[in-house]
Amino acid sequence: MNYQLTTQGSICILLNDNPIMFLPPEHNGTPEWREYQAWLDAGNTPLPAPPPPPPGPDYFSFWDTLLSSNVYSSIRTQSFTSLPMNTLATEFIALIGDAKAGRPNTVAIQSSINAIFGTGTFTNDDVEEFNNILTAGHLDDIYSLSIPTP
């Protein structure tokens, strides 16, 4: 018999063929909790809680950070004078809006990123900043950016 802590504080799981969870100590009247306490009193130690899952994509954080960035200012400025860039930026904004609503079209977003950075004029600092924003939003495992060499 072995037990494992959970990420929910003092709740434990009895590891066997049919794992069961225990309530915190204030519910110590249950037979399972008393059995667990006896197991601890016998000198046993439960396994540690498993690590939390990695954070998922955060399109809200990505968008909020992008809006205040130099690279977004560059996209916006280029959109004023270039109809293709304006169209691409508008499409990208719509795609990120869908992603924030829980409907990310990853293929279309990647294509949009590629088109924006392939059409506009960007510095290495812009590329680095955009990649850092992707990383901060936990999107760097989904999307990538590199400037094609002419």
Side-chain angles (χ1 to χ4, degrees), residues 14-117:
L14 170 61
L15 301 174
N16 59 21
D17 291 337
N18 299 308
I20 58 171
M21 290 188 125
F22 294 92
L23 296 172
E26 58 268 14
H27 295 87
N28 60 12
T30 65
E32 292 87 2
W33 187 259
R34 287 193 301 272
E35 183 178 315
Y36 173 63
Q37 289 302 310
W39 183 81
L40 287 174
D41 292 343
N44 296 298
T45 304
L47 297 171
D58 185 350
Y59 289 97
F60 288 97
S61 173
F62 166 78
W63 185 246
D64 290 344
T65 305
L66 182 64
L67 285 177
S68 62
S69 70
N70 291 329
V71 69
Y72 184 78
S73 294
S74 180
I75 293 169
R76 192 165 180 257
T77 299
Q78 293 179 58
S79 294
F80 293 150
T81 58
S82 165
L83 181 58
M85 185 59 101
N86 186 293
T87 302
L88 293 169
T90 301
E91 176 188 53
F92 181 72
I93 291 167
L95 288 166
I96 295 301
D98 287 347
K100 289 173 17 183
R103 298 180 311 275
N105 183 335
T106 57
V107 172
I109 292 171
Q110 181 64 65
S111 177
S112 182
I113 291 169
N114 294 345
I116 287 170
F117 282 87

Side-chain angles (χ1 to χ4, degrees), residues 4-9 46-52:
Q4 183 175 28
L5 299 174
T6 68
T7 56
Q8 290 86 29
L47 297 171

